[in-house]
Amino acid sequence: MAHHAWRSVVIRLVLLLLLTASLTACGDPDLPRLVDDDQALRLLQIARGPLTGYFHLQAPQVKVAGAIVTAHMADGNKYSTGVFDNDAANAVQRAAEEMAARYGKQIGEQAFKLSVSLLREPKRMWSTGLREKGLGYARGLYAVAVAEEGKGYAFSDIEMHVNGLPLKSVVKALKRKKGVRMLGKAPKGGEFLAPTESFTEGDNNTVVRLYRASTILPDIDSEAIREGCKLGGDYLCALLQDNNKFLYEGNVGRDKYNKNYNLLRHAGTCYSLYQLHLATGVDRYRDVSDRAWIWLRKQLEFERDGDTIYAYPVENKVIKLGGTGLMLIALSERLTISHSEDDLRLGKNLANHIMRSLQEDGSFLSYWPHKGKKAKRRRSIYYPGEAMLGLMRFYAHNPDPRYVECVAKSAQYLIHERWRIIGLELTIPPDAWLMIALDELHRVRPQKDYADYCLKLADSMVNDQFDKDWEILYPDYRGGYFPYPPAVTPAGARMEGLTSAYLLAQRAGRDTTAIKRTIALAARFQVERIIRPEFAHLYPNVERGLGAFRHSPVSNRIRIDYNQHNISGLLVAARILEEQ
């Protein structure tokens, strides 16, 4: 474990030195504020004046390179104008006047919110490829502009981030005079980047400070965590289609979804929505999950061997152990909500398939032959933990001792044999499903090695968190996990594992200080990744964007399991953080 921790620290130090050195080539994005909140509010009022006929004459005098003003319409459209000017108020005023002249008819009497991006001193751009990889550039913190003979076109930091625009294609588009036409004389010719300071209109005449088309949250409490979970649940509800499948994967910044699908993640989403219903009492989460469960039931196939019936979901003629495990986990939540003999009978059949997948050495077959065809021999890292948790959660509804025996045998293999060669441990996998299963098993059989291994996995996760100032390149990385940039799904899965490790440690009389601190930091990072009401209007489809857990601070990719993992872990975190 010590070797793992030191290796992680050394890698992070090397990356930090490289990235820090590169940032000096284009200015540090963590620069002092150009305007305070009162000044930012005044600039937004100045921008609104030409569009509403109500003018504000008092203006802050702040030196800038220019400004881009955008009207975000209630119907998802947006209109942007920009000006190169060394005074913020003049730049915003002229940009708003240009917007009124050019787009006044389109805007009309519609509801809209404004955002302003103030451009700092621009820096010459070199090698878009290297910059795209983080050398002297971070998406969402810079406007990009191309100017020739004093005339220029630009994309704001907000536009770059929301749409996930790559630098190379943006520069080509700007050279073709696409993007925001910038009035005034450009401070530089050629291609350049301008660090920005951006803000948007909030409710009740307030200012919302933006950071990568989002906001930086302070430390949050349990109530804020639960509200974030409810936003995440509402988002999943909005994605359910008439065929009882979810819009599975896409980009929330472009409001586009592809046709990929995954049965396991569908089952996991049912599980998280049932959990959310139990935690909040909101019936809609249960009702949507019930509809999604209908689709899941249709994927089942059954086998009979004498008096024993085996059930398992099939996807593309493949039988995955994880699919059966996750379906049994979701079914157990259904039984917690409302007892059903039909669900109980199905649970027994699913459990039968899991038990027959256990091998003599304690390992599981990750894949089962479908209708006589050979199954994949590959072993999944996570399927065994999902199967074990399914059995332990169902054990609470059908206390068959065979379930515990099966899980205990697998636990012995996973703890003492997996990832070992000639007695040496090769790695410590971030297996959150196993951690949850070990917590459940420890409740029934409080063996020391279950606690030891679960907490060993937890220690590895604690070591991988970005929690020290020297390793946090940007404020929205704090609380995430290695590697750079920290992603939301690993954070969500780790939260599921760490909260279980905390409960096990507490029950076993172990120290929980480090785990609880990690949970608190991670919760802030995770909730920060949600598209929240104060800035949802920056995205093209508020109804289908609000509540999405975005892939990372620098990516707006989404997938239903991003929300599933984060909701499941955060619901438990909220309870833990309420403890004194």
Side-chain angles (χ1 to χ4, degrees):
M1 184 173 65
H3 172 72
H4 171 84
W6 274 109
R7 181 179 61 189
S8 176
V9 169
V10 169
I11 293 173
R12 275 188 263 181
L13 275 172
V14 172
L15 287 174
L16 181 68
L17 289 171
L18 291 172
L19 291 171
T20 302
S22 71
L23 286 171
T24 60
C26 193
D28 186 346
D30 189 21
L31 297 169
R33 282 186 176 179
L34 292 170
V35 294
D36 60 28
D37 287 352
D38 288 339
Q39 292 172 320
L41 180 59
R42 184 53 55 86
L43 289 172
L44 287 166
Q45 291 169 339
I46 290 171
R48 188 167 275 272
L51 297 168
T52 62
Y54 182 72
F55 292 88
H56 294 262
L57 300 179
Q58 294 183 357
Q61 294 192 351
V62 178
K63 185 176 180 180
V64 297
I68 297 174
V69 177
T70 302
H72 305 269
M73 311 305 296
D75 62 4
N77 287 320
K78 58 180 178 289
Y79 305 100
S80 298
T81 49
V83 173
F84 289 124
D85 193 298
N86 60 13
D87 180 79
N90 288 341
V92 170
Q93 176 78 31
R94 291 177 61 194
E97 290 172 351
E98 177 68 10
M99 183 178 293
R102 194 185 305 178
Y103 304 116
K105 289 184 179 180
Q106 292 94 317
I107 294 173
E109 299 297 322
Q110 293 186 63
F112 64 91
K113 287 188 175 181
L114 293 172
S115 67
V116 172
S117 295
L118 299 179
L119 278 55
R120 299 176 185 267
E121 183 65 25
K123 304 291 181 180
R124 187 81 64 192
M125 188 171 3
W126 42 261
S127 179
T128 56
L130 289 175
R131 288 205 182 276
E132 193 70 74
K133 296 184 182 298
L135 299 179
Y137 170 74
R139 182 183 294 162
L141 301 179
Y142 296 86
V144 185
V146 170
E148 295 178 2
E149 299 178 354
K151 298 179 180 179
Y153 290 83
F155 283 102
S156 72
D157 55 316
I158 298 172
E159 185 77 3
M160 292 293 295
H161 186 271
V162 168
N163 287 292
L165 301 176
L167 275 177
K168 189 173 183 180
S169 60
V170 162
V171 170
K172 288 182 179 180
L174 292 172
K175 287 181 177 179
R176 296 195 302 269
K177 298 183 179 181
K178 304 291 184 181
V180 179
R181 169 74 171 91
M182 300 292 290
L183 303 179
K185 185 177 179 180
K188 291 181 180 292
E191 306 161 11
F192 59 88
L193 300 171
T196 55
E197 181 170 314
S198 300
F199 40 88
T200 188
E201 293 178 312
D203 293 332
N204 302 317
N205 204 32
T206 58
V207 172
V208 177
R209 291 275 180 178
L210 298 175
Y211 194 88
R212 276 198 256 257
S214 183
T215 62
I216 301 297
L217 289 175
D219 293 339
I220 59 176
D221 57 18
S222 293
E223 182 179 354
I225 293 172
R226 289 193 184 93
E227 287 302 312
C229 290
K230 288 166 70 176
L231 282 173
D234 293 341
Y235 170 77
L236 291 175
C237 291
L239 294 189
L240 191 69
Q241 303 171 91
D242 291 341
N243 62 0
N244 295 325
K245 293 172 67 175
F246 296 95
L247 289 172
Y248 168 71
E249 181 181 46
N251 189 304
V252 73
R254 300 175 185 177
D255 191 35
K256 290 184 178 179
Y257 294 80
N258 60 40
K259 295 182 179 180
N260 294 338
Y261 213 68
N262 184 284
L263 182 147
L264 276 71
R265 291 171 181 141
H266 180 107
T269 301
C270 289
Y271 163 56
S272 67
L273 285 173
Y274 283 137
Q275 285 181 298
L276 192 56
H277 165 73
L278 287 167
T280 65
V282 177
D283 290 341
R284 187 161 77 108
Y285 304 137
R286 178 202 61 207
D287 296 343
V288 168
S289 195
D290 281 346
R291 284 182 51 201
W293 180 259
I294 293 171
W295 179 86
L296 199 57
R297 283 290 301 255
K298 292 180 179 178
Q299 314 314 309
L300 284 173
E301 292 186 11
F302 297 86
E303 290 180 31
R304 180 183 288 274
D305 183 3
D307 294 333
T308 303
I309 299 175
Y310 305 99
Y312 42 79
V314 180
E315 183 176 36
N316 298 323
K317 299 181 180 180
V318 177
I319 304 170
K320 301 176 182 178
L321 177 69
T324 308
L326 281 164
M327 193 167 181
L328 187 54
I329 294 169
L331 182 142
S332 298
E333 295 299 310
R334 283 173 57 85
L335 286 168
T336 301
I337 294 169
S338 177
H339 181 80
S340 160
E341 287 299 320
D342 182 58
D343 281 345
L344 190 65
R345 186 164 46 252
L346 174 58
K348 293 176 182 178
N349 297 340
L350 292 167
N352 288 339
H353 175 67
I354 291 174
M355 288 190 294
R356 72 169 173 174
S357 299
L358 185 71
Q359 305 299 287
E360 281 300 318
D361 64 355
S363 66
F364 275 106
L365 292 175
S366 293
Y367 298 88
W368 192 264
H370 182 249
K371 295 184 177 179
K373 294 183 179 179
K374 288 186 177 180
K376 295 180 183 178
R377 299 181 64 183
R378 183 174 69 85
R379 290 187 176 185
S380 166
I381 295 175
Y382 304 114
Y383 290 178
E386 291 165 341
M388 293 163 68
L389 180 59
L391 288 177
M392 292 308 302
R393 289 282 172 86
F394 187 59
Y395 177 78
H397 302 283
N398 184 53
D400 186 332
R402 294 179 301 160
Y403 303 159
V404 177
E405 292 300 330
C406 179
V407 173
K409 185 173 182 178
S410 180
Q412 289 303 306
Y413 170 80
L414 294 172
I415 292 170
H416 300 291
E417 299 296 331
R418 185 173 70 161
W419 308 112
R420 289 179 182 271
I421 294 180
I422 60 172
L424 299 176
E425 189 169 56
L426 301 179
T427 187
I428 304 173
D431 193 345
W433 290 112
L434 176 59
M435 295 169 74
I436 309 171
L438 288 174
D439 174 40
E440 298 282 348
L441 180 60
H442 186 268
R443 294 173 190 272
V444 179
R445 289 187 179 179
Q447 290 185 199
K448 182 177 180 294
D449 56 346
Y450 301 157
D452 288 345
Y453 194 70
C454 184
L455 295 176
K456 189 176 188 177
L457 293 172
D459 284 344
S460 176
M461 293 176 179
V462 168
N463 289 331
D464 276 346
Q465 188 179 50
F466 294 133
D467 59 350
K468 301 174 184 63
D469 289 342
W470 61 265
E471 62 187 356
I472 299 169
L473 296 176
Y474 304 99
D476 51 359
Y477 284 16
R478 184 180 297 276
Y481 296 89
F482 185 81
Y484 297 105
V488 75
T489 308
R494 282 163 173 76
M495 182 64 88
E496 292 176 283
L498 285 168
T499 50
S500 289
Y502 175 90
L503 296 174
L504 189 158
Q506 190 179 57
R507 192 170 57 250
R510 308 286 185 92
D511 182 27
T512 60
T513 305
I515 298 177
K516 190 170 185 179
R517 179 178 177 274
T518 300
I519 287 171
L521 281 174
R524 188 207 59 79
F525 171 81
Q526 292 167 246
V527 174
E528 201 173 78
R529 303 283 72 73
I530 302 172
I531 295 182
R532 303 185 302 282
E534 57 266 31
F535 59 87
H537 57 274
L538 303 177
Y539 290 79
N541 188 334
V542 174
E543 291 184 1
R544 211 161 64 181
L546 184 64
F549 280 83
R550 294 159 295 169
H551 178 267
S552 76
V554 297
S555 173
N556 288 316
R557 288 190 290 119
I558 49 89
R559 202 170 62 194
I560 55 175
D561 60 311
Y562 298 179
N563 278 51
Q564 176 258 302
H565 284 294
N566 283 275
I567 290 170
S568 294
L570 285 170
L571 287 173
V572 185
R575 296 202 305 269
I576 290 172
L577 295 177
E578 282 178 334
E579 298 176 359
Q580 297 299 320

